[in-house]
Amino acid sequence: MNRVKALICIIIPILLAYAFNTKFGDTPPLLKFLNPFTGFWQNAESSMVTANKNITLKGAKDKIDILFDDKMIPHVFAKNDHDVYYAQGYVTAMHRLWQMDFQTRFAAGRISEVVGKKAIEVDRYQRRMGMVYGAENSLKGMMEDPKAKEMILAYTEGINDYIHSLNRAKLPLEYKLLDFKPEDWTPIKCALLLKQMSAVLAMGSDEFYMTNILKKFGPEITKDLFPDYPFKESPIIPVGTKWDFTPLPIPPTPKGYTEMLTGNVQTKQKVEGIGSNNWAVSGAKTASGYPILANDPHLDLTLPSIWYQIQLNAPGLNSYGVSLPGAPGVIIGFNKDIAWGVTNVAADVLDFYQIKFKDDTHKDYWYNNAWKNTTQRFEKIKIRGAADEIDTVYYTHHGPVVYFQKPKYSKANNVPVGNALRWIAHDKSNELLTFYYLNRGKNYADYRKALTYYTAPAQNFIFASAENDIAITPNGKFPLKWKDQGKFILDGSDPGNDWQGWIPANQNPTVKNPPRNFVSSANQSSTDQTYPYYINWEFSPYERGQRINNRLTTMTKANVDSMRNLQGDSYSLIAENLLPSILPLINAGQLNATQKEALSITTKWNKYFEANEVGASIFDLWTKRLTYNIWDDEFTIADIPMRYPSRDRTVELIQKDPNSKWFDNVKTSQKETLTDLVNESFKFACDSLERKYGPIGKNWNWAKVKNTNVPHLAKIPGFGSKTLLIGGSKSTVNAISESNGPSWRMVVELGKNPKGHGVYPGGQSGNPGSPFYDNMIDTWAQGKLYDLFFMQSADDKSSKIISHYKISKK
């Protein structure tokens, strides 16, 4: 018996030690995690910050000063280009290391290394979409240029010097929760980050839906319901702008391009909300007599924040703005002479080609009346707790054949089986040079030079200068296409369907100093129909762009508050367009008490999507249901995935063709009318709100229905924000939905001494235990902006400096 007791006394501690030091499922090793010296306790930060710190680093070439202001924003002062990007890498890693690591692992298809087999389809998808392949090609372009090479190598060196300074106690909290360690940063990770941004801004693809629609309804109906230019539009380049160039010949349209077949596939439609606003007004419209530029890119909101604020100062460089953690330079910002910003173009630079293979080995495919060899790329996927997997991806000259069999993974629904992907993000590129030159730009000529280096994702680059120039350019490397090339799946055997070259960079649409004294974009059509080249057949709806243009047209003596208020504008042009047509169709005599009260509220509603507006909640659900009632019977059919016609086409139908055949539900014996659908959808909206939120009242307020919040990047519970009771909607200038919206709001007043103002929904730190993790959220939610401290030297006393890192060479 004593031996048994002794054995138990030995075994139990061993088992407990094993249990407390082993990761089970999503639970971290508890002993490591709870260790008071190395566990999560070490991630709690005091609001007190070390005022001064002397650091010796082997990567520094000369003295570097990093001054942190009271928002923990670093102002880097270096004596050469190497050191300014070295310090940027170091300080970004200090605040955002886990975020940088996680985002690039995700882009590279390496999440299984951290969480095991449950992420295998995520990793396969990223590899099969050619993310690493594209990053490798992009990196080649960067490394061929001496300036970009120095940027990326110095930035990488700075990150690694910070990583090497860490012990387990100093690791970011997420490493402890997920029980893994950071690895050395490599230049390919910078390229991967930029490729991931291309993937996010590609905004899905509709050609699978469109091909099925063409097969079901034929070309006449398809052209009628899915026109190549919208009913209502206010294009980025003002209507009537003259094109002062001789266009290249447009490639001929192949005779059989509409005769392709498509499998039973599903796709993600382009998502409204992945967009942005920007505008610049000339001095003729401002109180100061100098231009003002504003930008607010809309993205999926996360903590840590998508962006990282920083000021970079070196000989020939003094730039302030936001960077992407993991890439050197300032992406959106300003310097002494110019300011710039971006919104997404949504150019058609991602096409799928149906491939005819010789046999099931997939080693040969039919192209230009001959068999052509595929190439193979072997993707080695490491899996935590399991053996490595080798995934073979076949490439045609178009690009990777993403799938031969569909996995059970939602993103794979985007991809047609047996099709090759041609995507601009796979090409060699060097976007870093664009931002290198913008950061140092002094005038319009420098802006135009910088844009020539930019490939993808295509952006509407807006510009303003102290010389009183304003401009905007939908910019990127655009393939030279025949009209509607890529609207449907393409026949991969016909060379006529290949991309036939490129639109010359100096023929990308652009406008400088237009007579209306402002330029703007909100992801709408780039131009009117006179532009000689094809960029895409469909862009984001026009309402945000039109509202911005309406307000800027009447604006005079504008100042920073004028711009800030416009960024927070929640007026709905959809409501303005639809309510006069649908409110009179409501039969009040058939409504119950709640529905009658809802009708009264909606009738009196001011059409603003403000936080406390009940009418906004009713209208939003009402019009969503009405859209469903109009289109779902024809466009939702088992095994033939399609998409609905656009909101623009729906509004046009309601306004101009109220007796249209499309209002009849073909699945019922009776003939429905627009009046029937309007009444059913209104009652549905009221009943749904009552079931979910109780009697009509404050619980129906738009803010409570919308439920805006900022989640953690990895969706870790407790690390996201509180619910934010704020207004805005996807279709208004203040385009805030549940967890998508303005990821950075910036207003820059140009002049002899430029003044910047900005905020994003988060903070500088990526550590949930830091007071600088989410300290800007409330200011962002209130629609306010902070003054940005644009320091002129390390001794500048105009800003509130709370910490000073003095870095010297080791």
Side-chain angles (χ1 to χ4, degrees), residues 106 121-123 125-126 403 406-413:
F106 176 83
E121 292 301 345
V122 177
D123 289 349
Y125 173 82
Q126 294 293 106
Y403 286 116
K406 276 293 180 67
K408 291 183 178 179
Y409 176 53
S410 60
K411 283 194 175 182
N413 292 337

Side-chain angles (χ1 to χ4, degrees), residues 459-718:
Q459 298 290 290
N460 298 302
F461 279 86
I462 201 158
F463 165 86
S465 76
E467 294 180 352
N468 236 322
D469 287 324
I470 59 172
I472 193 166
T473 307
N475 188 70
K477 192 175 182 181
F478 298 131
L480 185 62
K481 291 184 167 189
W482 38 268
K483 187 174 175 61
D484 286 345
Q485 184 178 354
K487 186 173 183 176
F488 308 98
I489 290 176
L490 297 161
D491 179 1
S493 68
D494 187 347
N497 288 319
D498 288 358
W499 294 358
Q500 306 292 325
W502 308 97
I503 298 174
N506 63 358
Q507 296 184 14
N508 285 349
T510 189
V511 66
K512 176 189 179 186
N513 298 331
R516 66 186 187 180
N517 289 314
F518 69 86
V519 289
S520 71
S521 73
N523 317 108
Q524 73 271 42
S525 299
S526 299
T527 69
D528 63 17
Q529 295 181 77
T530 64
Y531 183 65
Y533 298 114
Y534 173 78
I535 297 177
N536 206 344
W537 70 276
E538 186 177 50
F539 296 84
S540 291
Y542 92 110
E543 288 92 359
R544 280 186 294 117
Q546 183 69 68
R547 177 64 175 171
I548 291 167
N549 291 346
N550 289 348
R551 288 199 54 182
L552 292 178
T553 298
T554 60
M555 195 176 287
T556 59
K557 296 184 178 179
N559 57 25
V560 62
D561 286 332
S562 311
M563 304 295 103
R564 181 181 60 79
N565 289 335
L566 180 49
Q567 286 181 334
D569 186 285
S570 68
Y571 182 76
S572 173
L573 278 180
I574 301 176
E576 181 181 298
N577 289 331
L578 274 181
L579 284 174
S581 297
I582 61 177
L583 271 175
L585 301 182
I586 295 291
N587 186 341
Q590 294 183 354
L591 303 181
N592 63 29
T594 296
Q595 293 162 359
K596 285 179 179 177
E597 187 177 356
L599 177 61
S600 174
I601 289 171
T602 308
T603 302
K604 297 172 185 175
W605 176 46
N606 62 10
K607 305 180 183 66
Y608 281 85
F609 274 82
E610 294 295 343
N612 59 356
E613 292 289 347
V614 172
S617 303
I618 299 166
F619 177 79
D620 182 70
L621 188 52
W622 180 16
T623 50
K624 284 177 181 174
R625 178 66 176 187
L626 179 59
T627 301
Y628 171 89
N629 283 347
I630 294 170
W631 300 118
D632 195 71
D633 55 323
E634 278 101 351
F635 287 87
T636 300
I637 299 174
D639 300 325
I640 309 178
M642 295 179 283
R643 54 157 282 189
Y644 294 169
S646 69
R647 181 168 70 220
D648 176 81
R649 187 68 183 92
T650 305
V651 171
E652 182 182 22
L653 205 67
I654 291 169
Q655 287 186 346
K656 299 179 69 177
D657 193 7
N659 297 314
S660 170
K661 69 173 185 177
W662 298 106
F663 297 130
D664 177 40
N665 186 342
V666 297
K667 294 181 178 179
T668 67
S669 56
Q670 63 267 38
K671 184 177 181 180
E672 287 80 11
T673 64
L674 176 59
T675 299
D676 294 329
L677 303 191
V678 165
N679 278 273
E680 191 282 337
S681 54
F682 183 78
K683 293 174 183 176
F684 174 89
C686 298
D687 294 349
S688 298
L689 289 167
E690 190 171 32
R691 279 195 303 272
K692 187 169 184 179
Y693 300 102
I696 192 167
K698 289 184 178 179
N699 285 338
W700 286 34
N701 283 357
W702 174 236
K704 293 189 176 181
V705 172
K706 181 159 63 86
N707 193 41
T708 296
N709 66 96
V710 184
H712 183 263
L713 178 61
K715 303 295 189 289
I716 296 176

Side-chain angles (χ1 to χ4, degrees), residues 166-428:
L166 295 175
N167 55 34
R168 178 168 178 81
K170 293 181 179 179
L171 286 180
L173 179 57
E174 290 90 346
Y175 285 111
K176 298 171 184 178
L177 277 171
L178 299 170
D179 191 32
F180 74 109
K181 296 179 181 179
E183 62 186 8
D184 276 8
W185 193 264
T186 56
I188 191 72
K189 289 175 180 270
C190 298
L192 277 163
L193 182 79
L194 296 173
K195 294 299 113 175
Q196 183 59 29
M197 188 57 71
S198 284
V200 169
L201 295 178
M203 297 177 71
S205 173
D206 283 349
E207 56 219 75
F208 323 125
Y209 280 121
M210 294 306 302
T211 304
N212 278 339
I213 289 166
L214 183 65
K215 287 172 63 180
K216 176 173 172 55
F217 294 104
E220 189 175 334
I221 287 177
T222 302
K223 187 175 182 180
D224 175 54
L225 292 184
F226 299 89
D228 291 334
Y229 203 79
F231 164 53
K232 292 177 181 289
E233 187 53 289
S234 181
I236 292 167
I237 306 302
V239 172
T241 300
K242 303 299 181 186
W243 312 111
D244 58 350
F245 56 79
T246 302
L248 299 179
I250 304 301
T253 304
K255 292 181 179 178
Y257 92 97
T258 61
E259 298 172 5
M260 283 74 72
L261 301 175
T262 178
N264 294 328
V265 295
Q266 296 181 5
T267 184
K268 183 176 78 173
Q269 295 185 53
K270 290 178 181 174
V271 180
E272 186 181 0
I274 302 179
S276 307
N277 306 317
N278 62 20
W279 59 83
V281 295
S282 78
K285 278 186 165 289
T286 66
S288 69
Y290 287 98
I292 302 178
L293 180 144
N295 192 191
D296 54 301
H298 309 154
L299 294 165
D300 287 337
L301 306 176
T302 64
L303 289 172
S305 296
I306 297 162
W307 303 100
Y308 182 73
Q309 284 189 67
I310 196 165
Q311 180 178 356
L312 302 176
N313 184 293
L317 168 68
N318 191 17
S319 182
Y320 186 111
V322 288
S323 63
L324 285 169
V330 171
I331 304 297
I332 299 170
F334 65 99
N335 61 32
K336 182 175 69 70
D337 301 301
I338 71 170
W340 66 94
V342 295
T343 66
N344 198 35
V345 172
D348 187 3
V349 292
L350 184 156
D351 292 332
F352 277 105
Y353 290 80
Q354 188 175 27
I355 303 300
K356 178 183 177 182
F357 290 98
K358 189 174 185 179
D359 53 40
D360 289 343
T361 66
H362 305 125
K363 292 182 178 180
D364 303 279
Y365 68 101
W366 190 250
Y367 176 75
N368 198 19
N369 297 314
W371 292 110
K372 190 177 175 76
N373 293 334
T374 59
T375 57
Q376 296 177 46
R377 182 181 173 97
F378 302 102
E379 297 285 358
K380 184 178 181 180
I381 303 175
K382 295 182 179 179
I383 307 168
R384 185 170 189 161
D388 295 350
E389 176 182 299
I390 304 295
D391 195 20
T392 304
V393 184
Y394 292 86
Y395 279 70
T396 70
H397 72 283
H398 308 99
V401 181
V402 184
Y403 286 116
F404 291 108
Q405 290 182 321
K406 276 293 180 67
K408 291 183 178 179
Y409 176 53
S410 60
K411 283 194 175 182
N413 292 337
N414 285 13
V415 183
V417 170
N419 281 235
L421 171 64
R422 177 69 177 102
W423 185 20
I424 191 68
H426 291 157
D427 291 10
K428 185 189 291 186

